[in-house]
Amino acid sequence: MGKQKKTRKYATMKRMLSLRDERLKEKDRLKPKKKEKKDPSALKEREVTQHPSCLFFQYNTQLGPPYHILVDTNFINFSIKAKLDLVQSMMDCLYAKCIPCITDCVMAELEKLGQKYRVALRIAKDPRFERLPCTHKGTYADDCLVQRVTQHKCYIVATVDRDLKRRIRKIPGVPIMYISNHRYNIERMPDDYGAPRF
């Protein structure tokens, strides 16, 4: 008969005594924590984020024509695939003047994609597009767009990225532009945004 192979146990640790074990000497033992009694008469403090002044409930008062649209990297690529002109299709969707805005992060991401996406890069360098400088480290565009939209609620975000859409839906008063059926559509845009104000 041959030797029976023992299976090796991974990530096993030596058994150690708890610091509260009775077998330890009194001086080495960990003392039990005493719970501090909270004063019931004391005021409770909690940190609440300040509600943006531009919102009237869910209605964003800062949004109005000309619309400033933050464009994500993949939105440009999918627009090329669907053979859509960015500015014209945006105007067809919103029935108003649109200014596409491109951050430095989105530009850096397009440059990183290389030769295959040179058409998208050429479109992004269009003089009709507004360039927005970034002050943070790195070139991750999703975080940049979410942070910018949280601070300034005057933008519509154009993206087809599912994760980014999910993150932006949590921010009140920020509409999302996406591509479906070879045209641009808008999500969460109240009916009276385009109506004239008296």
Side-chain angles (χ1 to χ4, degrees), residues 34-50:
K34 291 178 182 177
K35 289 182 181 177
E36 292 178 17
K37 289 183 179 178
K38 290 178 182 176
D39 188 17
S41 62
L43 290 171
K44 289 175 186 168
E45 286 182 21
R46 54 182 193 154
E47 205 170 297
V48 181
T49 53
Q50 191 181 0

Side-chain angles (χ1 to χ4, degrees), residues 67-73 75 90 99-103 106 130 132 144-150 152 154-159 164 168 174 177:
Y67 295 108
H68 291 268
I69 300 165
L70 279 175
V71 183
D72 190 25
T73 315
F75 190 81
M90 283 174 182
I99 303 162
C101 303
I102 290 195
T103 61
V106 172
E130 192 179 307
L132 301 172
C144 175
L145 294 177
V146 169
Q147 184 189 355
R148 202 175 281 271
V149 158
T150 311
H152 315 286
C154 58
Y155 296 111
I156 295 169
V157 180
T159 185
L164 182 59
I168 289 168
V174 180
M177 187 178 275

Side-chain angles (χ1 to χ4, degrees), residues 71-80 106 109-110 113 142 158-162 164 179:
V71 183
D72 190 25
T73 315
N74 52 23
F75 190 81
I76 300 171
N77 296 334
F78 277 87
S79 297
I80 295 165
V106 172
E109 276 187 6
L110 281 169
L113 289 170
D142 289 15
T159 185
V160 288
D161 186 358
R162 204 174 285 165
L164 182 59
I179 303 168

Side-chain angles (χ1 to χ4, degrees), residues 127-141:
R128 294 176 294 176
F129 288 25
E130 192 179 307
R131 280 294 296 273
L132 301 172
C134 294
T135 51
H136 60 84
K137 285 183 179 178
T139 57
Y140 187 55

Side-chain angles (χ1 to χ4, degrees), residues 116-132:
K116 197 179 175 185
Y117 296 93
R118 64 184 182 278
V119 178
L121 189 63
R122 197 179 298 155
I123 287 170
K125 286 179 178 172
D126 193 313
R128 294 176 294 176
F129 288 25
E130 192 179 307
R131 280 294 296 273
L132 301 172

